[in-house]
Amino acid sequence: MITPLEKAEILTEALPYIQAFYDKIVVVKYGGNAMTDPLLEELVFKDVILMKLIGMKPVLVHGGGPMINSWLERLEIEAEFIDGLRVTDPATMEVVEMVLDGSVNKGIVSRIQKLGGKAVGLSGKDAGMVLARRVTKPQDLGLVGEVVRVDPSLIYTLIERGFIPVVSSVGSGEDGQSLNINADTVASALGGALKAHKLVLLTDVEGIYLGEGDERKLASQIEAAAIPGLIESGELTGGMIPKALGCLEAVNAGVKNVHIIDGRRPHALLLEVFTDEGVGTWVN
């Protein structure tokens, strides 16, 4: 049990970080196990609310893979993934949109507000925020989208009015068709459009591991320009590919700091924002 004096000292030590991030936009991609563990979930939301209250401007982008899988299983629809992306036929797209824009998005908003925050839930389709096109190469994944353009004007309006925007990763095709987009990709594109000071991707792993076999080690820092080569060499595989490519796109779009951190770690967000050491992998 820490004493009141120790609590005061901790707050004082955080002052330089609070000053550095004051009035800065921070985009947080929320997903993975943190979404299925109620205790971790509450800690994430408390961290986001604290960030808002001390003058930062958090924007939350979420996925919902475990919940989508649960509904697909109930409906006896087979789930298929290629390079970390969900193959999405029309039936699966209906489930994705129902889960992400419905129960997950509004559930997050409700829980943030219950903890004392002010949040507004949005789909990437709202106000034409996320325009996408279908992914067809190297193979057609169905109604899976890649971001073409992001219009952040609605997000700016909500931020300036004191709200925490909560954005699902469903976007619109040019024909108005709903498209399923990887949440890391949406978070990276939105971070770039907002010129965010920091983009944080909460994941189910400690960060990016490099090397082969038993020699694989957590990389505390990698250069964004090295990512294509790491994918080509096979050091980056599966679900880490869209995360890494999202980091590359965000850095190229002007995001100053991009981090992949372990969402299973309590208060991972605060550790990343308010300590020199941070956690996970920094991509620059």
Side-chain angles (χ1 to χ4, degrees):
M1 188 74 177
I2 65 174
T3 67
L5 178 57
E6 288 171 330
K7 288 182 180 179
E9 289 173 345
I10 290 170
L11 290 173
T12 302
E13 289 173 4
L15 179 59
Y17 302 99
I18 294 173
Q19 292 172 321
F21 284 96
Y22 183 79
D23 207 35
K24 300 293 195 304
I25 294 176
V26 177
V27 176
V28 178
K29 182 268 178 172
Y30 169 59
N33 283 340
M35 297 189 78
T36 57
D37 185 323
L39 294 178
L40 284 176
E41 181 179 62
E42 182 167 318
L43 291 179
V44 170
F45 297 152
K46 284 182 175 179
D47 288 356
V48 171
I49 292 169
L50 177 61
M51 290 162 65
K52 182 68 175 179
L53 291 176
I54 61 176
M56 298 167 65
K57 298 176 177 179
V59 177
L60 202 60
V61 177
H62 69 84
M67 295 74 144
I68 293 171
N69 290 339
S70 176
W71 271 100
L72 290 176
E73 186 175 345
R74 291 189 209 180
L75 297 171
E76 298 183 348
I77 299 174
E78 185 177 354
E80 180 184 358
F81 293 86
I82 297 176
D83 289 335
L85 298 176
R86 184 187 299 276
V87 178
T88 308
D89 61 14
T92 301
M93 188 64 233
E94 287 187 29
V95 174
V96 167
E97 197 161 15
M98 174 188 73
V99 173
L100 294 188
D101 291 349
S103 58
V104 173
N105 186 270
K106 301 313 174 188
I108 291 173
V109 168
S110 177
R111 288 188 284 278
I112 288 176
Q113 295 185 161
K114 186 177 180 181
L115 291 168
K118 291 172 59 181
V120 174
L122 303 166
S123 163
K125 295 174 65 177
D126 289 327
M129 188 191 318
V130 180
L131 179 66
R133 59 171 169 255
R134 286 181 57 173
V135 175
T136 57
K137 295 180 181 180
Q139 44 192 316
D140 193 339
L141 301 176
L143 297 176
V144 173
E146 57 184 4
V147 177
V148 174
R149 185 177 67 251
V150 174
D151 180 355
S153 55
L154 179 57
I155 299 294
Y156 281 128
T157 298
L158 292 171
I159 289 173
E160 296 308 316
R161 290 182 177 271
F163 293 99
I164 299 170
V166 179
V167 184
S168 80
S169 55
V170 175
S172 293
E174 293 184 351
D175 58 357
Q177 171 71 57
S178 296
L179 293 175
N180 180 23
I181 311 173
N182 180 274
D184 299 294
T185 302
V186 173
S188 299
L190 187 56
L194 291 167
K195 301 301 179 187
H197 186 75
K198 185 184 284 285
L199 167 67
V200 182
L201 304 179
L202 291 174
T203 71
D204 288 341
V205 295
E206 294 175 317
I208 293 178
Y209 280 81
L210 299 179
E212 298 181 1
D214 296 337
E215 300 299 319
R216 291 178 68 81
K217 293 183 178 179
L218 177 66
S220 60
Q221 182 177 349
I222 63 173
E223 294 185 4
I227 287 174
L230 293 171
I231 294 173
E232 187 175 349
S233 69
E235 287 196 72
L236 287 176
T237 59
M240 193 54 69
I241 291 177
K243 287 180 173 61
L245 288 175
C247 291
L248 172 61
E249 292 170 5
V251 170
N252 288 341
V255 179
K256 295 183 178 180
N257 301 280
V258 182
H259 299 264
I260 297 177
I261 67 175
D262 190 350
R264 301 167 300 179
R265 186 172 181 177
H267 293 302
L269 271 177
L270 295 188
L271 289 169
E272 181 55 52
V273 173
F274 296 122
T275 66
D276 279 335
E277 296 81 5
V279 291
T281 301
W282 175 27
V283 181
N284 64 339

